[in-house]
């Protein structure tokens, strides 16, 4: 999962996925066209739309606060989080590695819902306590309407934001992995069994069961059945089924990624890398590179060596930027990427860390160094091949399947 960078907070890069626009538009439109006109029939349309726009922005600010709380507590427990991504279903904090003990998992998981609950209670209390209308709990629809009509745009915004954060906290506490509640459950099971894989498998299975319930409820709503709390209707039903589908995939992939992590843990890159790698020299003409290397083998990226030292990297995509007629008079040096623009790893680095690096930087392969010398090349295909031959199997799928999903993250 990738996005464009938005800001940095406490050293953590906050990115926004394009899918966020979907839910942003849905929230703004539903509030401005339906909810706020129902609460405030006398409001001008501009007031409803401006309040709805502010509500959508503040909602995602509260989601960011939720994810930041995960990240900061994780950092305090030795779990590095370098990036948070906001997307259509809220947000996700990208951990560099899983918690090393169940207490860290527990505190990191539970602090998010606690943060959302605090935001919700504070907002609702502020809206109700400062309202100019009827502030007591309503005993009839008329009293509720009178109370809502007495709220100005600021208090209306606080009331809605408070309610949605309380709902978010409750939903995240459902013990279905990978929701926060599912991670809390996994932490408890982990502490009781001292077996992370078994705990993850159980929590993942419960997460999948919850997801299937959501999908079934969504399909029932599409077919006209009234589901308690959710009601009925095609639009809401499709959305609920989509959430269930997403959670099912997330639960399955979370367990598969654990298998991948276990399979690659303490496996050095030197065991996976290609050592029989064709290399080129800086003054080689591009037409020679094309005819003698690119067209005669499967290798698509070539280390550039000068005097036995690595000075750069050239790939097929670099060559394709030039017209064929220009390649005879252009050398590798003129189009290659120099050392300060390429990614290298050390031969003794863990393979799982390199898999993370490939996914985070959207790379197909990286160069491998040892004692300052170029010794090989490792890419996604090498990791997948190693997992297919050496990785353990699990009921949720093979590590090879997990690695493929990991590359799409």
């Amino acid at each position: 999962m990738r996005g464009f960078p938005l800001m940095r907070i406490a050293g953590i890069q906050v990115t926004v996925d394009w899918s966020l626009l979907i839910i942003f538009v849905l929230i703004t439109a539903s509030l401005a066209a339906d909810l706020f006109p129902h609460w405030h029939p006398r409001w001008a349309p501009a007031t409803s739309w401006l309040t709805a726009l502010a509500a959508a922005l503040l909602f995602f600010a509260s989601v960011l606060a939720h994810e930041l709380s995960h990240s900061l507590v994780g950092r305090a427990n030795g779990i590095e989080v370098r990036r948070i991504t906001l997307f259509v279903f809220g947000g996700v904090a990208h951990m560099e590695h899983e918690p090393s003990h169940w207490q860290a998992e527990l505190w990191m998981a539970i602090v998010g819902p606690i943060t959302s609950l605090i935001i919700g209670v504070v907002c609702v209390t502020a809206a109700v306590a400062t309202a100019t209308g009827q502030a007591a709990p309503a005993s009839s629809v008329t009293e509720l309407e009178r109370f809502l009509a007495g709220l100005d745009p600021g208090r209306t915004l606080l009331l809605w934001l408070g309610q949605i954060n309380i709902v978010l906290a409750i939903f995240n506490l459902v013990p279905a992995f990978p929701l926060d509640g599912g991670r809390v459950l996994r932490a408890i099971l982990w502490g009781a069994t001292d077996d992370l894989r078994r705990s993850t498998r159980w929590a993942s299975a419960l997460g999948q069961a919850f997801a299937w319930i959501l999908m079934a409820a969504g399909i029932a709503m599409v077919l006209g059945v009234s589901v308690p709390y959710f009601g009925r209707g095609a639009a809401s039903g499709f959305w609920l089924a989509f959430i269930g589908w997403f959670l099912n995939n997330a639960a399955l992939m979370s367990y598969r990624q654990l298998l991948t992590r276990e399979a690659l843990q303490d496996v050095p890159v030197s065991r996976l890398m290609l050592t029989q790698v064709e290399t080129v020299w800086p003054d080689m003409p591009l037409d020679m590179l094309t005819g003698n290397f690119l067209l005669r083998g499967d290798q698509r990226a070539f280390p550039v060596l000068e005097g036995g030292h690595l000075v750069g990297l050239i790939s097929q995509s670099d060559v394709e930027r030039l017209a064929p007629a220009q390649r005879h008079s252009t050398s590798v040096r003129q189009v290659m990427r120099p050392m300060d623009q390429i990614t290298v790893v050390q031969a003794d680095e863990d393979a799982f860390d390199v898999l993370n690096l490939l996914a985070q930087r959207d790379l197909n392969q990286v160069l491998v160094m040892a004692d300052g010398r170029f010794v090989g090349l490792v890419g996604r295909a090498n990791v997948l091949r190693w997992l297919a031959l050496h990785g353990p199997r699990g009921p949720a799928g093979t590590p090879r399947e997990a690695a493929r999903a990991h590359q799409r993250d």
Side-chain angles (χ1 to χ4, degrees), residues 279-301:
T279 62
V280 298
W281 57 93
D283 296 324
M284 175 187 289
L286 290 187
D287 57 354
M288 180 183 292
L289 171 64
T290 302
N292 293 357
F293 292 87
L294 283 173
L295 296 179
R296 295 180 182 273
D298 295 328
Q299 189 174 327
R300 291 294 175 264

Side-chain angles (χ1 to χ4, degrees), residues 104-117:
E105 167 88 320
L106 176 64
W107 289 113
M108 186 177 180
I110 204 169
V111 71
I114 290 175
T115 300
S116 295
L117 186 61

Side-chain angles (χ1 to χ4, degrees), residues 287-366:
D287 57 354
M288 180 183 292
L289 171 64
T290 302
N292 293 357
F293 292 87
L294 283 173
L295 296 179
R296 295 180 182 273
D298 295 328
Q299 189 174 327
R300 291 294 175 264
F302 299 87
V304 184
L305 301 183
E306 186 172 30
H309 298 287
L310 182 68
V311 295
L313 179 72
I314 187 168
S315 65
Q316 179 175 325
S317 60
D318 298 321
V319 177
E320 289 173 351
R321 295 191 184 100
L322 291 180
Q326 297 176 284
R327 295 171 190 169
H328 177 72
S329 59
T330 304
S331 69
V332 167
R333 189 190 307 274
Q334 291 174 274
V335 297
M336 73 178 188
R337 282 164 284 168
M339 290 298 295
D340 60 355
Q341 295 180 17
I342 62 178
T343 302
V344 298
V345 299
Q346 299 302 311
D348 58 355
E349 287 190 41
D350 277 356
F352 186 75
D353 293 335
V354 174
L355 180 63
N356 270 331
L357 182 68
L358 291 169
Q360 290 168 7
R361 301 192 183 181
D362 195 21
L363 300 172
N364 289 316
Q365 64 274 311
V366 291

Side-chain angles (χ1 to χ4, degrees), residues 67-264:
E67 297 302 330
L68 273 174
S69 68
H70 285 312
S71 304
L72 296 177
V73 170
R75 180 182 293 177
N77 284 276
I79 307 164
E80 190 61 41
V81 178
R82 301 186 185 277
R83 180 166 57 100
I84 292 173
T85 301
L86 301 179
F87 70 118
V88 66
F89 291 113
V92 59
H94 301 273
M95 298 184 295
E96 293 291 307
H97 56 84
E98 287 282 0
S100 58
H101 52 87
W102 70 269
Q103 294 97 330
E105 167 88 320
L106 176 64
W107 289 113
M108 186 177 180
I110 204 169
V111 71
I114 290 175
T115 300
S116 295
L117 186 61
I118 291 174
I119 293 173
V121 170
V122 169
C123 288
V124 170
T125 301
V128 173
T130 61
T132 57
Q134 175 67 33
S139 59
S140 69
V141 174
T142 302
E143 291 178 0
L144 176 60
E145 291 176 343
R146 187 181 301 115
F147 168 70
L148 293 174
L151 298 177
D152 59 19
R155 293 180 179 86
T156 297
L157 193 156
L158 285 174
L159 182 62
W160 179 83
L161 188 65
Q163 291 176 333
I164 202 67
N165 270 279
I166 291 172
V167 171
L168 179 66
I170 294 172
F171 180 77
N172 270 280
L173 283 173
V174 173
F177 197 78
L179 295 177
D180 294 335
R183 291 190 173 274
V184 169
L185 174 63
R186 183 177 76 161
I188 295 172
L189 293 172
W190 185 6
T193 65
D194 197 30
D195 188 331
L196 177 58
R197 182 192 291 191
R198 187 193 307 172
S199 302
T200 305
R201 185 170 71 246
W202 290 346
S204 176
L206 189 57
Q208 290 178 264
F210 177 69
W212 279 102
I213 291 173
L214 290 184
M215 285 189 281
I219 294 172
M221 291 168 64
V222 171
L223 297 176
V225 178
S226 180
V227 177
Y229 182 76
F230 294 107
R232 71 180 71 190
S236 299
F238 277 123
W239 184 246
L240 190 63
F242 185 49
I243 292 175
W245 172 83
F246 174 82
L247 288 177
N248 179 69
N249 284 348
L252 188 61
M253 286 301 102
S254 295
Y255 180 58
R256 287 178 175 175
Q257 286 179 9
L258 176 66
L259 294 181
T260 301
R261 183 179 294 105
E262 290 184 345
L264 294 175

